Amino acid sequence: MSDHGTVRLLGPADVRVLAERLGLRPTKKLGQNFVHDGNTVRRIVKVAGVGPADVVLEVGPGLGSLTLALLPVVSRVHAVEIDPVLAGELTGTVAERAPGLADRLTVTTADALRVTAAELAADAGPGAAAPTAIVANLPYNVAVPVLLHLLAELPGIERGLVMVQAEVADRLAARPGSKEYGAPSAKLAWYADARRAGPVPRAVFWPVPGVDSGLLGFVRQDPPAGADRAATFAVIEAAFAQRRKALRGALAGWAGSPASAEEALRVAGIDPVTRAERLSVADFAAVAAARPV
């Protein structure tokens, strides 16, 4: 693969010039905070562990800072951008700053919350490999649902590294029994084993965000054997909707009554007075399978 020397990464002045040329005013609605530090995007690519065999899905490429750092390292970057102005500009930015690598980029203008594998395949073209990794600065306001949707929609995703709000990274990487553990943690565990992969300073963004950021790494893992995802997620949602309650009470609505909830919990080998934060995704799957009919 080509090295970073063939690419001119975006610096703070470049980001401002591009934004001004596009008449861009970053919006909170779209979660737009653009990274303008070359060392940060190089670090993200390195920590992600992607290489020549990978097709990387990048969500919200923005002005292209991370895209430019990825292109020399991987076989292809498939960028999904909801803003049509930014999507249209990205190809030109890559052609100008990494002219020898422009053929490695595919851009899809779409909402990452709704994009389908079929859409991505159509844009990539016949015979193109499906994404194997996600590396992205996710829009913070929809980071969790976007990540869960993409892992469900794209089973070929083997691993990834995403930048999210620091508190969200803590929640997604949390293990059963910790105070941060909740429905997002349990749902992500259905698809992957996640870990915190370090902080990201506020100063590397434009505009500077009002929250701390962090990196979340994950590796695909098999879900509980024989489990039904929709049924398991329904238990997770019901359990954490009333997380202060013992599961016998929290799952009463889901099961039809406290007694039915207790029966399902006992069949699954779980003490009915346990609380939701003590259960692993395999436990939730077992409860779902034990629901009285």
Side-chain angles (χ1 to χ4, degrees), residues 76-129:
R76 174 162 293 275
V77 174
H78 198 137
V80 176
E81 174 58 61
I82 193 172
D83 186 326
V85 174
L86 290 174
E89 185 70 15
L90 185 60
T91 302
T93 298
V94 169
E96 177 187 343
R97 293 182 164 267
L101 303 175
D103 62 344
R104 295 185 188 175
L105 176 67
T106 300
V107 182
T108 293
T109 306
D111 183 348
L113 275 170
R114 295 175 178 82
V115 72
T116 65
E119 284 179 82
L120 295 175
D123 285 348

Side-chain angles (χ1 to χ4, degrees), residues 113-149:
L113 275 170
R114 295 175 178 82
V115 72
T116 65
E119 284 179 82
L120 295 175
D123 285 348
T132 60
I134 298 173
V135 183
N137 173 17
L138 292 180
Y140 287 8
N141 52 343
V142 291
V144 173
V146 164
L147 185 56
L148 293 175
H149 168 69

Side-chain angles (χ1 to χ4, degrees), residues 274-289:
T274 302
R275 291 186 177 179
E277 62 264 25
R278 296 289 172 186
L279 270 59
S280 68
V281 69
D283 293 330
F284 284 116
V287 174

Side-chain angles (χ1 to χ4, degrees), residues 1-4 6-9 41 45 50-52 54 56 58 64-79 90-91 93-107 135:
M1 289 287 164
S2 307
D3 60 32
H4 286 97
T6 63
V7 177
R8 290 188 295 124
L9 298 178
V41 292
V45 173
V50 290
D54 285 303
V56 168
E58 184 189 2
S65 297
L66 180 55
T67 314
L68 288 166
L70 282 165
L71 285 169
V73 178
V74 302
S75 67
R76 174 162 293 275
V77 174
H78 198 137
L90 185 60
T91 302
T93 298
V94 169
E96 177 187 343
R97 293 182 164 267
L101 303 175
D103 62 344
R104 295 185 188 175
L105 176 67
T106 300
V107 182
V135 183

Side-chain angles (χ1 to χ4, degrees), residues 108-196:
T108 293
T109 306
D111 183 348
L113 275 170
R114 295 175 178 82
V115 72
T116 65
E119 284 179 82
L120 295 175
D123 285 348
T132 60
I134 298 173
V135 183
N137 173 17
L138 292 180
Y140 287 8
N141 52 343
V142 291
V144 173
V146 164
L147 185 56
L148 293 175
H149 168 69
L150 293 174
L151 286 169
E153 184 68 21
L154 300 167
I157 297 291
E158 300 165 357
R159 63 193 179 285
L161 186 77
V162 294
M163 194 187 325
V164 295
Q165 187 173 338
E167 290 180 2
V168 172
D170 287 339
R171 288 202 295 272
L172 288 171
R175 299 293 194 250
S178 64
K179 64 179 181 179
E180 293 89 0
Y181 184 71
S185 331
K187 288 181 177 181
L188 181 57
W190 175 275
Y191 302 104
D193 180 45
R195 71 188 192 285
R196 278 299 304 262

